[in-house]
Amino acid sequence: MTDVAKLAGVSHQTVSRVLNDHPNVREQTRMRVHAAIAELGYRPNRAARVLVTGTSHVIGVVSRSSTLYGPAATLTALAEAALRHGFTVN
């Protein structure tokens, strides 16, 4: 984020606001930040996000290995629903 901020000429807090779609960012600034993100190929660091927010958005599932349709279908549905809401299932 520091490199993105430097290239866009803004603070790292502004980059954070853009990434989190905060409404109080001017459109011109938002465009500069997005251009810097694209130029640098920036991708958010999940580990850093977990440290800052204290949440991982990972759902752990423990189950027995089963080839039966019911349990397999349930796990598939759980994983798909979790993904739609920004979670992953491990």
Side-chain angles (χ1 to χ4, degrees):
M1 279 179 49
T2 303
D3 293 337
V4 171
K6 187 174 184 179
L7 182 60
V10 298
S11 69
H12 72 278
Q13 291 96 341
T14 299
V15 174
S16 177
R17 288 183 188 107
V18 170
L19 290 173
N20 291 306
D21 207 24
H22 195 278
N24 293 340
V25 178
R26 288 184 295 151
E27 190 57 33
Q28 181 182 14
T29 302
R30 191 177 302 277
M31 288 172 40
R32 279 199 333 260
V33 170
H34 282 296
I37 287 170
E39 183 175 331
L40 295 172
Y42 172 80
R43 293 178 305 160
N45 182 318
R46 279 188 156 185
R49 188 159 207 49
V50 168
L51 290 172
V52 169
T53 64
T55 61
S56 65
H57 287 89
V58 175
I59 300 171
V61 175
V62 179
S63 69
R64 294 180 54 199
S65 179
S66 176
T67 57
L68 298 175
Y69 176 77
T74 300
L75 286 175
T76 299
L78 173 68
E80 290 173 356
L83 188 61
R84 282 194 304 272
H85 293 281
F87 288 79
T88 57
V89 176
N90 288 356

